[in-house]
Amino acid sequence: MQKKTWIAVSATSVLGLGLLAGGATAAANAMSLTEGSTGATVPGLSDRPTELKGSGQSADVSFSVQSDSIVTPSPATPASPISPVSVQSVQSPVSVQTPASPVSVPSPVSPASPVSVASPVSPASPVSAQSPASVGSSD
């Protein structure tokens, strides 16, 4: 049941996007383009005569140039107000150097350890008695 719900939501979303794109295209075609400095107007697609629409014919477009300059000067921008000079911060005082720690006294030399006494030699262990011969089996 969940899969059918997602299919319905997806189809509705695609349809809504299509309608939105179609409306935007229609609005863009209805607008004419106007250049600000000369006032030249280029008509939108819906403003063209019906005999030219879709006929593959082209219209002659002419532009009149009133200046040799390609770049039109823009009006001068006003200077920004001068910001106040910030107050200089106070110099921090020089820190006092801490005194060096005293040199530690070397520890006394430890006495040499005494020589250990050799352990006594242990007596040899007695020879073990011979084990009796095993009795033969009657396999």
Side-chain angles (χ1 to χ4, degrees):
M1 202 60 178
Q2 288 287 344
K3 190 174 186 178
K4 290 181 182 179
T5 304
W6 281 109
I7 291 172
V9 169
S10 299
T12 305
S13 298
V14 169
L15 182 63
L17 284 175
L19 288 173
L20 185 66
T25 304
N29 285 338
M31 291 183 198
S32 59
L33 301 175
T34 304
E35 203 276 323
S37 63
T38 61
T41 303
V42 178
L45 293 178
S46 62
D47 293 342
R48 292 177 56 190
T50 55
E51 66 270 2
L52 291 180
K53 287 185 182 178
S55 64
Q57 298 175 356
S58 63
D60 291 331
V61 177
S62 63
F63 293 99
S64 62
V65 178
Q66 298 173 358
S67 171
D68 292 337
S69 172
I70 295 174
V71 179
T72 57
S74 60
T77 57
S80 60
I82 298 172
S83 60
V85 178
S86 61
V87 179
Q88 190 169 0
S89 60
V90 179
Q91 181 90 15
S92 61
V94 177
S95 60
V96 179
Q97 191 171 5
T98 57
S101 59
V103 178
S104 59
V105 179
S107 60
V109 179
S110 59
S113 58
V115 179
S116 59
V117 179
S119 60
V121 178
S122 58
S125 59
V127 178
S128 59
Q130 188 74 20
S131 61
S134 60
V135 180
S137 63
S138 61
D139 281 344

